[in-house]
Amino acid sequence: MSPQQPAEPAAGRREPLVIDAHGHFTTTPPAHQRFRDEQLDRLARLAEDPSRPLPVPPEIGDDLLRESVEHHQLKVLRERGGDLMVFSPKASGMEHHVADRATARDWARQSNDLVARVTELFPDNFAGVCQLPQTPGGSLADSVAELRRCVETLGFVGCNLNPDPSGGHWTAPPLTDAYWFPLYEAMTELDVPAMVHVSSSCNPAFHTLGAHYLNADTSVFMQLLLGDLFDRFPTLRFVIPHGGGAVPYHWGRYRGLAARLNRPDPGEHLLRNVFFDTCVYHQPGVDLLLHVMGADHVLFASEMLGAVRGADPDTGIAWDDTKRYIDRAGLTPDEREKVFETNARRVYPRLDARLRAAGR
Amino acid sequence: MSPQQPAEPAAGRREPLVIDAHGHFTTTPPAHQRFRDEQLDRLARLAEDPSRPLPVPPEIGDDLLRESVEHHQLKVLRERGGDLMVFSPKASGMEHHVADRATARDWARQSNDLVARVTELFPDNFAGVCQLPQTPGGSLADSVAELRRCVETLGFVGCNLNPDPSGGHWTAPPLTDAYWFPLYEAMTELDVPAMVHVSSSCNPAFHTLGAHYLNADTSVFMQLLLGDLFDRFPTLRFVIPHGGGAVPYHWGRYRGLAARLNRPDPGEHLLRNVFFDTCVYHQPGVDLLLHVMGADHVLFASEMLGAVRGADPDTGIAWDDTKRYIDRAGLTPDEREKVFETNARRVYPRLDARLRAAGR
């Protein structure tokens, strides 16, 4: 398991396009957060001032927006040899636990509009994935409408789906429940996948970045193992981020549990529809992920600028420079191409179509 | 990362004692579960029949008790080359979510008494670890009393501590909170560790064995990373089971998060007090665990007969025959001795004392 030398490009072979399947707009101009604060302030004072109007989204100029990614995600993407990032609103900022429907709708719309403008400013480097206006226990009608708007009008290629809109209290039914089907029907019709991604934890037992995110990944995989969701929705696709939570590390447990529970082997049952990203921030973890799950089921991703910042003092490698780990994982050229490019084009066909139209 | 050949015993060197640090009494005689059913039935009818007395624990003969482990845990332990199992009541059966204090007290006492009798029937092969009579939000006074009884009277060497007595609703404060300190004071005084182990999930989002257990392991490690519990209790020791949940697989994430949150590196900060067991059911997972965490911080364990049953059809190896994976992990003789024997003796000094008294 000692780190290998980075792979050399094979002679005569085009280097794969490097598609980072998991990036969030964590560096929005401050006016965006001020708008959110106004929304929350209005809700907090609604009892004393019921006539207070919904806040109006701010005007944010192109220059400011350009700067907010050019010196951050885009700079890091280029420095690390990435070509394109699948880009969505800040995950911890989605805050689906705020139960007011109009607030959720306006917040998702404004967050998605900013992402859309980044994809227009840098069409070669960003493709949009949308935040849904979910609320705890609320109807998914607004989420379906926002998904349609983002895909059909803004050119987005997928969505982020929160399996726990309560923010750490886990009051929603499993993702195999009929509650979610209206969204799956729209996803299937539009042929877009969802990254299964929770937002901030309101539960002091779960740190958002160090527990809640990983627990969600783990929990959802087990929900899917117990159900037959993909019999009903054979083309539905989920990306489970953060290297699949605990799942690849415990792959024997999942296979053994499936056998004990009279469920099909998860390798057969789920991996046509479920993919893992590479947001695992050290070499042994990425090695295990690729070795156990196989290159067909893994999408390159870094989540930068995300949970971790800075570099491992022992190696000098930035924690989330996951391309470095993949380059040293001993993949064949075919496997590299799958992980960096073709899996993402397969899971996000609307991204593939856009790339083809641009001759890439 | 290809599986290595099993290690050969070094010439002239005694093979380590093989101590399995994580086994549950999942095969109790049926009368034990009938007693539990009577407890739950009484609680369900308490409104209509408030005078109904607490049920009386059943008499279970030695022969029945002997049979219930001889053909199960003890047989498998011997077949696989194990010497001694650290044995506790069935984890999913603790059911701390049942809030009635007297019920919790009687159930823990009866469950622990059965474990104690197994350790008396097979003193060379089993050492006891107790269930605590926790309830959601309840005082820990009964838990402290039961811990004292089990250690001082029954010769137990540790306890199982449930960080989520609610059973999947996670209403308890983090393990760094003062709520838990009375228990830590008793553990420190008695010099016994706790395995951090949840019980059944009452939350349909979390499958008990496929999500809740692993999530708890992950969540608790992050709780400890955020606090300074071991400054206050420098000799307090926790074993985090199931290979530490998602933690070793995401070790770079934890180191990077600690740096970002201005916390000390978890390798320095936590690993004098926190240990992981080897209940990871495939070779690549065990390889990662041992490689990343290091042999000083890992205790051999199988959790048999536990979450998984049967064997991997691809290899014929029983999922939970974790000794096979460790034998193939390329450890040095020193490292093998730590993982199989000396770490357990260090973490459970009362077990060490018992073994020494028996000349082992």
Side-chain angles (χ1 to χ4, degrees):
Chain A
M1 282 193 32
S2 58
Q4 312 212 9
Q5 288 305 306
E8 292 286 326
R13 187 182 180 111
R14 154 178 107 78
E15 268 294 275
L17 208 62
V18 174
I19 300 171
D20 185 333
H22 186 180
H24 299 295
F25 199 177
T26 47
T27 54
T28 46
H32 186 57
Q33 185 59 45
R34 281 201 297 275
F35 169 63
R36 180 59 172 171
D37 294 343
E38 287 167 24
Q39 283 195 317
L40 299 179
D41 189 52
R42 171 181 170 273
L43 290 175
R45 292 161 191 264
L46 212 52
E48 67 190 53
D49 184 2
S51 65
R52 191 158 161 161
L54 286 160
V56 178
E59 300 285 335
I60 296 177
D62 278 354
D63 285 353
L64 198 57
L65 207 58
R66 199 178 284 115
E67 277 171 30
S68 69
V69 290
E70 224 165 17
H71 302 307
H72 299 288
Q73 289 84 354
L74 187 54
K75 176 170 168 279
V76 177
L77 187 73
R78 285 172 170 156
E79 281 170 1
R80 296 181 180 174
D83 293 298
L84 182 141
M85 176 170 260
V86 177
F87 204 49
S88 62
K90 183 165 83 167
S92 62
M94 297 189 296
E95 297 182 331
H96 294 124
H97 62 272
V98 178
D100 183 67
R101 186 173 167 181
T103 300
R105 209 173 46 209
D106 287 359
W107 179 232
R109 175 179 274 264
Q110 173 64 6
S111 300
N112 292 330
D113 283 351
L114 282 191
V115 165
R117 286 176 57 206
V118 170
T119 69
E120 285 157 17
L121 289 168
F122 302 100
D124 292 344
N125 303 113
F126 292 98
V129 152
C130 66
Q131 167 180 336
L132 300 174
Q134 296 176 246
T135 52
S139 148
L140 288 172
D142 290 346
S143 293
V144 169
E146 181 65 4
L147 175 67
R148 285 193 183 284
R149 182 183 83 89
C150 289
V151 173
E152 294 176 340
T153 310
L154 305 179
F156 280 34
V157 301
C159 61
N160 287 336
L161 172 59
N162 185 344
D164 171 31
S166 76
H169 299 295
W170 289 91
T171 53
L175 285 193
T176 48
D177 191 272
Y179 169 76
W180 305 99
F181 289 180
L183 183 69
Y184 299 159
E185 283 157 13
M187 286 170 57
T188 300
E189 183 202 321
L190 296 167
D191 203 13
V192 295
M195 177 168 280
V196 179
H197 205 309
V198 287
S199 187
S200 283
S201 164
C202 310
N203 186 329
F206 304 134
H207 187 269
T208 297
L209 305 171
H212 189 43
Y213 282 12
L214 303 179
N215 291 351
D217 306 333
T218 306
S219 302
V220 159
F221 187 83
M222 190 63 195
Q223 293 175 2
L224 298 174
L225 186 151
L226 293 171
D228 291 301
L229 186 63
F230 304 116
D231 287 352
R232 188 176 184 114
F233 297 101
T235 63
L236 186 68
R237 296 177 303 283
F238 291 132
V239 180
I240 303 192
H242 321 109
V247 172
Y249 175 49
H250 285 284
W251 191 238
R253 185 179 188 90
Y254 287 95
R255 293 186 63 213
L257 270 176
R260 182 178 174 194
L261 300 168
N262 291 315
R263 301 295 309 156
D265 189 278
E268 293 295 315
H269 176 49
L270 297 177
L271 295 187
R272 275 181 299 275
N273 304 82
V274 175
F275 303 84
F276 299 106
D277 83 8
T278 64
C279 294
V280 177
Y281 299 139
H282 62 157
Q283 188 72 48
V286 169
D287 286 345
L288 180 141
L289 168 67
L290 291 166
H291 174 69
V292 170
M293 304 316 305
D296 284 328
H297 308 293
V298 178
L299 274 62
F300 167 62
S302 72
E303 207 183 357
M304 63 88 179
L305 312 169
V308 292
R309 310 282 162 96
D312 182 348
D314 297 344
T315 63
I317 299 181
W319 297 111
D320 58 6
D321 189 357
T322 53
K323 183 167 183 298
R324 300 272 293 256
Y325 311 132
I326 298 167
D327 284 343
R328 285 161 176 75
L331 298 184
T332 67
D334 273 350
E335 290 170 335
R336 276 174 58 80
E337 190 169 83
K338 286 176 179 174
V339 171
F340 282 125
E341 177 176 358
T342 49
N343 291 346
R345 295 177 85 128
R346 189 158 54 98
V347 173
Y348 298 84
R350 285 176 180 263
L351 171 61
D352 183 50
R354 249 184 63 176
L355 290 168
R356 282 176 192 275
R360 298 167 89 187
Chain B
M1 282 193 36
S2 57
Q4 312 211 10
Q5 288 304 306
E8 292 287 327
R13 186 182 181 110
R14 153 178 107 77
E15 267 295 274
L17 208 63
V18 175
I19 300 172
D20 185 333
H22 186 180
H24 299 295
F25 199 177
T26 47
T27 54
T28 47
H32 185 57
Q33 184 59 44
R34 280 201 298 274
F35 169 63
R36 180 59 173 171
D37 295 342
E38 286 166 24
Q39 282 195 318
L40 298 179
D41 188 52
R42 172 181 169 272
L43 290 175
R45 292 161 191 263
L46 212 52
E48 67 189 54
D49 184 3
S51 66
R52 192 158 159 162
L54 286 160
V56 179
E59 300 284 336
I60 296 177
D62 278 353
D63 285 352
L64 198 56
L65 207 56
R66 198 178 284 115
E67 277 171 29
S68 69
V69 289
E70 222 165 18
H71 302 307
H72 300 288
Q73 289 85 353
L74 186 55
K75 176 169 167 280
V76 177
L77 186 74
R78 285 170 170 158
E79 282 171 1
R80 295 180 180 174
D83 293 298
L84 182 141
M85 176 170 260
V86 177
F87 203 50
S88 62
K90 183 165 84 168
S92 62
M94 297 189 296
E95 297 182 332
H96 294 124
H97 63 271
V98 178
D100 183 67
R101 186 172 167 182
T103 300
R105 210 173 45 210
D106 288 358
W107 178 232
R109 175 179 274 265
Q110 172 65 5
S111 300
N112 292 330
D113 283 351
L114 282 192
V115 165
R117 287 177 57 205
V118 169
T119 69
E120 286 157 17
L121 289 167
F122 302 101
D124 293 344
N125 304 113
F126 292 98
V129 152
C130 66
Q131 167 180 335
L132 300 174
Q134 297 176 246
T135 52
S139 148
L140 287 172
D142 290 345
S143 293
V144 169
E146 180 65 5
L147 175 67
R148 286 195 183 284
R149 183 184 80 91
C150 288
V151 173
E152 294 175 341
T153 311
L154 305 179
F156 281 33
V157 301
C159 61
N160 287 336
L161 171 59
N162 185 343
D164 171 31
S166 75
H169 299 294
W170 289 90
T171 52
L175 285 193
T176 48
D177 191 272
Y179 169 77
W180 305 99
F181 289 179
L183 184 68
Y184 300 159
E185 282 157 14
M187 286 169 57
T188 299
E189 183 201 322
L190 297 167
D191 203 13
V192 295
M195 177 168 280
V196 179
H197 206 309
V198 287
S199 187
S200 282
S201 165
C202 310
N203 187 330
F206 304 134
H207 186 269
T208 297
L209 306 171
H212 190 43
Y213 283 11
L214 303 179
N215 291 351
D217 305 334
T218 306
S219 302
V220 159
F221 187 83
M222 189 64 195
Q223 293 174 3
L224 298 174
L225 186 151
L226 293 171
D228 291 301
L229 186 63
F230 303 116
D231 287 352
R232 187 176 185 113
F233 297 101
T235 63
L236 186 68
R237 297 176 303 283
F238 291 133
V239 180
I240 303 193
H242 321 109
V247 173
Y249 174 50
H250 285 283
W251 191 239
R253 185 180 188 89
Y254 287 95
R255 293 186 63 211
L257 270 176
R260 183 179 173 192
L261 300 168
N262 291 314
R263 301 295 309 155
D265 189 278
E268 293 296 314
H269 176 50
L270 297 177
L271 296 187
R272 276 181 298 274
N273 303 82
V274 175
F275 302 85
F276 300 107
D277 82 8
T278 64
C279 294
V280 177
Y281 299 139
H282 62 157
Q283 188 72 48
V286 169
D287 286 345
L288 180 141
L289 169 67
L290 292 166
H291 173 68
V292 170
M293 305 316 304
D296 284 327
H297 308 293
V298 177
L299 273 62
F300 167 63
S302 72
E303 208 183 356
M304 63 89 179
L305 312 169
V308 291
R309 310 281 163 96
D312 182 348
D314 296 344
T315 63
I317 299 181
W319 297 111
D320 58 7
D321 189 357
T322 53
K323 183 166 182 299
R324 300 272 293 256
Y325 310 132
I326 298 168
D327 284 343
R328 285 161 176 76
L331 298 184
T332 67
D334 273 350
E335 290 170 335
R336 276 173 58 80
E337 190 169 83
K338 287 176 179 176
V339 171
F340 282 126
E341 177 177 358
T342 49
N343 291 346
R345 295 176 86 127
R346 189 159 54 97
V347 173
Y348 298 84
R350 286 176 179 264
L351 172 61
D352 182 50
R354 249 185 61 175
L355 290 168
R356 283 176 191 275
R360 298 166 89 185

